[in-house]
Amino acid sequence: MVAHLLSLKWRLLLNGFRRSPGQLVGIIIGSLYALGVVAVLVFALFILRWAPLDVAAAAVTLGGAAAMLGWSLVPLVASAADLTLDPARFTTSAIPARELLAGLALAGFIGLPGIATAMVSLATVFTWSRSFAAAFGALVGAAMGALTCVVLSKVVTTATASLASSRRFKDISSIVFIVPLMLLGPIFAGVVSGVSESASFLIDLSEVVSWTPLGAAWSLGADLAAGNLLASLAKFLVAALTLAVLFGAWHFLLQRALVTPPYAGSTARKGGRLGLFRALPAHPAGAVAARALYYWLRDPRYAGSLVVVPLLPVLLIFPVGQSGTSAPLLVLGPLTAFLLAWSISADVSYDSTAFALHLASGVRGVHDRLGRALACLSFALPVTLIFTVGSVAMAAQWELLPGMLGLAIGVLLSGLGLSSVVSARYTVAVPLPGESPFKKPPGNVAQTIAVQLIGMLVLTLLVLPEAAILVWQLVSGTGVAGWINLLLGTVLGSVLFVVGISLGGRWLDARGPELFAELSANR
Amino acid sequence: MTDQGSAFPPHSAQPSGDPAPQGPRQIGAPQADARRGDARQGDARLPEPLPENAHVPALALRGVAKRFGGKIAVDGISLDVPVGSFYGVVGPNGAGKTTTLSMATGLLRPDFGTAHVHGVDVWAHPLEAKRLMGILPDGVRLFDRLSGEQLVTYAGLLRGMDRDVVRSRVADLLAALDLQQDAGTMVVDYSAGMTKKIALASALIHAPKLLVLDEPFESVDPISAANIRSILDSYVASGGTVIVSSHVMDLVQRMCDHVAIVAAGRVLASGRTEEVRAGSSLEERFVQLVGGGHRAGGLEWLRTS
């Protein structure tokens, strides 16, 4: 039975490669990325072979503990738990629990994160190949540690299965997860500087962690290398006990999950709250704008990009603090304008087959386009203006303000026009409604990449005039150039906005059914 | 493929309000002479735009065909749906029901053939045709991050309706469909039956003359189904036309006054329900026409006694 489960998982993994060439490209890119990370870590562990004992011990122990934390937390917040072997699917198959546990645990290693963890864990054996005993201890520790990672994540996902199946939890967790992801750079840099300043603290910390369930397995090699036989025996017991307790908990949870499927309830709400549908004009374009604004707030796929916006200044201020020059900060306004404008370039793809309502109602294409663009503009314009003024103020380069405003407004309006055309013509692979924004979307990845790249290239061409004048101002220092840019950005941007809306609208009228057919294929 | 309209059989081109039985002509076996008779009728109408009079069908399909890659999903279907009829389209899974209805309602462009709604060509004048139709497509998502009330309001405003009219109709529809208690709940949190009902409300908001419902009773509980049926019955009684697709034969037999049996992308029989079933039940007639059917032997080991 264990072999059956393993071969099933292996078959599922292989079948993932047997989709369209476009998807294959996406999978290969993902695999290469994972491979790169693994290679760096393995290389680092090889180098540690010659590092001082306490440094190597701290690195391995803390790294291992971090991996365990990751395995338990990531599936929880990303809703990205690997459910291909969801225990609920075996409810009807009458598999003995013991074999199911063993099979699912081992199958957890088949897949990118599992393989990566196993490889990196095994590399610690080389780190501790300072003596035979140490290497042996590291091998045992690596096996136990990696297995603990997998079982821990299974325990967490099984325990929270009913929680995670509630829509509200999924919505919130997938948005919250974006914050640490976005701030990865600053966090990483902070950790690096912390490490270089307080190496001795980390060594002390690893001493403590090595006695906890998180670090015990990973410190076996270090203790044996240092000759602490007694300590290593005690830590082996801690690690073994951890694994046993986790298996027991998982067994219990699985038994419960097999007989009580997850249930997600919700409460009824009376009506009477039309909100934006009452506030905006009673016109097809107004209705589309109201609907789009609700989606910006309520759909995690849209709300996720809203959460990113307030983080952008943080990301840009960070390098300023590091280097002392405020130049990068000036990018903030145009960058925000670009991100927000481009975010509706996949609007129809995000609708998925719900677009049928627009098609069936005979909404005119131009109204559809206008509503979506105005919804985005209604908050993107204030944000762009505030960010531009704010960044210029922080950089204390007031003479650049009109020119920067011109560029930012130009990027925003031209971008919205371009997005209106792109989303009327091309569908791209996006997560389906109700799925996590991080979920690998079905559909044509190759077309998605092509549309994104070419679209950004075209946008660069469209805002070239504004960019050129800004450069002219920077080079020559003429203040009047800035005012020209403000005028040009507003006028040219508005023209491109209108052209984009009407062209996109015409394409939508002509190709609505074909667009819908593409959406139906992707659902 | 171009002359599908003449090559394939029968539609009962029955003028509305003509209760006289058309006899077993196109009903019995859809064979040679019946085919020729009907085909001539279809051909005569094909080139001309349908004249505006009382005998214009609510929906007229002529030789509609669609191919997906190598598979022909709809193989030249011609159908007339009389005004004021309650028309059932039945067929096995994959028969082409959804594809046909999508082409009739402007969601899927046909490779060949035409569709007219009350005389308006759906593919030449889509906006005018869509004003006459209310559609409940099957297997299509809704804008489910809106509350039920907001979704129906959205459907009304999208059609350019006046806000006050929309508001009063939304209230009426929610009351009629027994959704008032959940009017403010997001559609994503609705049960399957409630989702079907809110989609039906969105299709009814503009008071269409023709209602096209793809599998309206799938995963709907009996109470909601009875609720939907009574609304549809009174809609038909007041002069509206309803087309439903289904594979619940019993339901179609009880509910619909006209029926078309579709299989493998063609119409096998069509006409008044009692004529199509010709004495037997619709289900028996369906199995007989479509073929396949019962195979009792071969599972002897399954007997437990």
Side-chain angles (χ1 to χ4, degrees):
Chain A
M1 182 47 62
V2 173
H4 277 303
L5 285 172
L6 286 179
S7 74
L8 172 62
K9 176 76 200 233
W10 180 242
R11 177 48 53 196
L12 285 168
L13 187 72
L14 284 190
N15 285 355
F17 290 94
R18 292 174 51 180
R19 308 254 185 89
S20 70
Q23 280 183 322
L24 202 57
V25 171
I27 294 174
I28 289 173
I29 291 175
S31 312
L32 283 179
Y33 178 75
L35 198 66
V37 172
V38 169
V40 168
L41 290 176
V42 168
F43 182 70
L45 285 168
F46 274 38
I47 299 285
L48 281 176
R49 161 80 172 76
W50 293 276
L53 189 80
D54 52 350
V55 173
V60 172
T61 308
L62 290 179
M68 267 189 205
L69 274 181
W71 271 87
S72 62
L73 291 182
V74 169
L76 190 61
V77 291
S79 319
D82 181 7
L83 288 179
T84 45
L85 288 190
D86 185 356
R89 297 186 186 180
F90 298 103
T91 320
T92 54
S93 313
I95 304 170
R98 190 176 291 271
E99 295 186 21
L100 188 60
L101 279 190
L104 290 179
L106 289 179
F109 284 106
I110 301 180
L112 277 185
I115 293 172
T117 305
M119 282 167 66
V120 176
S121 304
L122 282 180
T124 61
V125 177
F126 187 85
T127 311
W128 298 117
S129 60
R130 304 173 186 215
S131 70
F132 176 74
F136 178 72
L139 182 63
V140 172
M144 291 174 83
L147 192 59
T148 310
C149 282
V150 172
V151 177
L152 185 61
S153 92
K154 297 282 181 193
V155 169
V156 170
T157 49
T158 316
T160 58
S162 65
L163 178 64
S165 65
S166 101
R167 182 187 55 77
R168 203 164 285 276
F169 176 82
K170 268 192 227 164
D171 284 3
I172 293 173
S173 69
S174 54
I175 295 173
V176 167
F177 185 61
I178 294 175
V179 177
L181 204 68
M182 280 290 293
L183 298 179
L184 211 56
I187 291 173
F188 189 69
V191 169
V192 167
S193 68
V195 168
S196 50
E197 281 160 23
S198 56
S200 64
F201 165 72
L202 283 178
I203 289 172
D204 292 345
L205 179 68
S206 79
E207 266 299 301
V208 177
V209 169
S210 72
W211 287 99
T212 67
L214 283 179
W218 307 109
S219 60
L220 288 183
D223 277 339
L224 285 172
N228 296 334
L229 193 62
L230 220 58
S232 68
L233 266 178
K235 283 173 186 173
F236 174 78
L237 281 180
V238 171
L241 206 63
T242 306
L243 206 51
V245 168
L246 283 175
F247 261 113
W250 187 24
H251 187 193
F252 170 76
L253 290 167
L254 203 59
Q255 293 280 328
R256 214 187 49 175
L258 287 179
V259 291
T260 50
Y263 169 76
S266 65
T267 49
R269 279 190 186 181
K270 285 239 178 188
R273 275 168 303 178
L274 285 175
L276 289 171
F277 287 100
R278 178 168 303 165
L280 292 180
H283 180 271
V288 173
R291 201 275 301 163
L293 282 172
Y294 272 121
Y295 266 62
W296 278 101
L297 295 173
R298 290 182 181 169
D299 188 330
R301 299 170 304 160
Y302 285 94
S305 28
L306 280 190
V307 170
V308 170
V309 170
L311 297 179
L312 283 175
V314 181
L315 280 181
L316 288 172
I317 290 170
F318 184 74
V320 173
Q322 298 257 300
S323 62
T325 161
S326 56
L329 200 55
L330 289 174
V331 189
L332 180 61
L335 181 67
T336 309
F338 163 73
L339 287 177
L340 286 175
W342 191 247
S343 64
I344 63 163
S345 69
D347 232 20
V348 173
S349 305
Y350 276 125
D351 288 354
S352 186
T353 49
F355 181 68
L357 181 64
H358 286 214
L359 197 55
S361 309
V363 184
R364 289 187 53 211
V366 63
H367 292 156
D368 173 290
R369 303 287 86 197
L370 191 63
R372 296 171 194 267
L374 287 181
C376 185
L377 191 66
S378 68
F379 60 86
L381 187 63
V383 168
T384 302
L385 293 181
I386 292 170
F387 275 13
T388 308
V389 174
S391 64
V392 169
M394 278 197 70
Q397 289 181 295
W398 287 106
E399 70 280 4
L400 288 179
L401 182 61
M404 289 303 302
L405 279 176
L407 179 63
I409 293 172
V411 169
L412 181 63
L413 292 175
S414 320
L416 285 173
L418 181 66
S419 291
S420 299
V421 175
V422 169
S423 98
R425 179 63 183 78
Y426 300 102
T427 60
V428 295
V430 297
L432 294 173
E435 285 183 344
S436 158
F438 296 100
K439 177 142 183 184
K440 191 174 69 62
N444 193 336
V445 177
Q447 170 164 338
T448 305
I449 294 173
V451 168
Q452 299 283 337
L453 285 181
I454 294 172
M456 289 184 199
L457 199 70
V458 172
L459 184 58
T460 312
L461 291 177
L462 291 180
V463 298
L464 215 51
E466 289 97 320
I469 293 186
L470 188 70
V471 170
W472 171 39
Q473 186 191 1
L474 285 172
V475 172
S476 67
T478 21
V480 72
W483 294 103
I484 294 177
N485 211 19
L486 180 55
L487 187 71
L488 179 77
T490 314
V491 172
L492 185 62
S494 303
V495 169
L496 289 173
F497 181 80
V498 171
V499 169
I501 298 285
S502 62
L503 182 63
R506 224 175 305 150
W507 280 5
L508 203 60
D509 284 336
R511 290 188 74 259
E514 282 71 21
L515 196 64
F516 179 63
E518 283 182 41
L519 295 170
S520 310
N522 278 353
R523 75 188 153 148
Chain B
M1 284 283 284
T2 45
D3 57 351
Q4 296 280 344
S6 59
F8 294 109
H11 55 282
S12 130
Q14 223 170 5
S16 66
D18 178 6
Q22 292 247 318
R25 182 168 63 94
Q26 73 267 54
I27 306 304
Q31 292 310 327
D33 54 345
R35 175 183 300 182
R36 243 174 276 129
D38 267 334
R40 225 179 297 125
Q41 201 173 8
D43 260 356
R45 285 188 175 192
L46 192 55
E48 299 286 308
L50 297 168
E52 187 69 53
N53 63 37
H55 294 296
V56 173
L59 175 68
L61 297 179
R62 289 293 173 274
V64 169
K66 184 74 190 179
R67 174 203 291 270
F68 293 118
K71 182 177 177 288
I72 295 172
V74 173
D75 194 3
I77 281 188
S78 298
L79 266 187
D80 274 341
V81 176
V83 172
S85 62
F86 202 138
Y87 206 106
V89 178
V90 296
N93 293 327
K97 301 188 296 286
T98 296
T99 311
T100 305
L101 293 183
S102 298
M103 291 190 287
T105 52
L107 293 184
L108 180 69
R109 205 184 297 277
D111 292 338
F112 299 101
T114 59
H116 286 83
V117 173
H118 285 279
V120 179
D121 188 330
V122 174
W123 291 99
H125 306 286
L127 297 189
E128 288 82 342
K130 283 168 182 173
R131 232 169 267 146
L132 300 169
M133 277 187 287
I135 310 175
L136 177 72
D138 183 37
V140 161
R141 291 167 194 276
L142 300 173
F143 285 107
D144 55 14
R145 300 273 162 165
L146 302 178
S147 71
E149 183 185 32
Q150 286 175 333
L151 180 63
V152 184
T153 307
Y154 183 47
L157 293 177
L158 275 186
R159 290 183 179 270
M161 292 168 63
D162 180 71
R163 197 199 304 272
D164 292 326
V165 177
V166 171
R167 181 162 37 205
S168 70
R169 283 191 188 174
V170 168
D172 291 348
L173 281 168
L174 291 176
L177 287 163
D178 198 20
L179 286 171
Q180 285 153 311
Q181 291 305 313
D182 295 284
T185 310
M186 272 199 233
V187 175
V188 68
D189 293 328
Y190 274 13
S191 68
M194 289 159 75
T195 308
K196 275 276 193 233
K197 288 200 282 184
I198 207 73
L200 180 65
S202 312
L204 288 170
I205 184 78
H206 60 294
K209 294 171 87 172
L210 168 67
L211 203 49
V212 181
L213 313 173
D214 197 358
E215 302 282 1
F217 297 104
E218 199 161 71
S219 67
V220 174
D221 65 88
I223 310 270
S224 301
N227 186 202
I228 293 177
R229 270 191 64 186
S230 75
I231 288 174
L232 295 182
D233 282 337
S234 61
Y235 173 79
V236 171
S238 66
T241 311
V242 174
I243 304 175
V244 295
S245 80
S246 180
H247 36 235
V248 185
M249 298 297 154
D250 247 12
L251 195 71
V252 172
Q253 182 178 337
R254 273 183 289 132
M255 199 169 61
C256 301
D257 47 33
H258 289 68
V259 70
I261 297 180
V262 179
R266 301 181 186 200
V267 177
L268 298 186
S270 68
R272 303 198 137 262
T273 308
E274 57 270 28
E275 294 159 12
V276 170
R277 59 192 179 90
S280 47
S281 80
L282 184 61
E283 181 157 4
E284 288 163 358
R285 188 79 186 105
F286 175 80
V287 171
Q288 184 189 340
L289 277 173
V290 173
H294 306 296
R295 211 166 47 114
L299 293 180
E300 286 81 6
W301 51 267
L302 197 53
R303 285 181 209 137
T304 48
S305 60

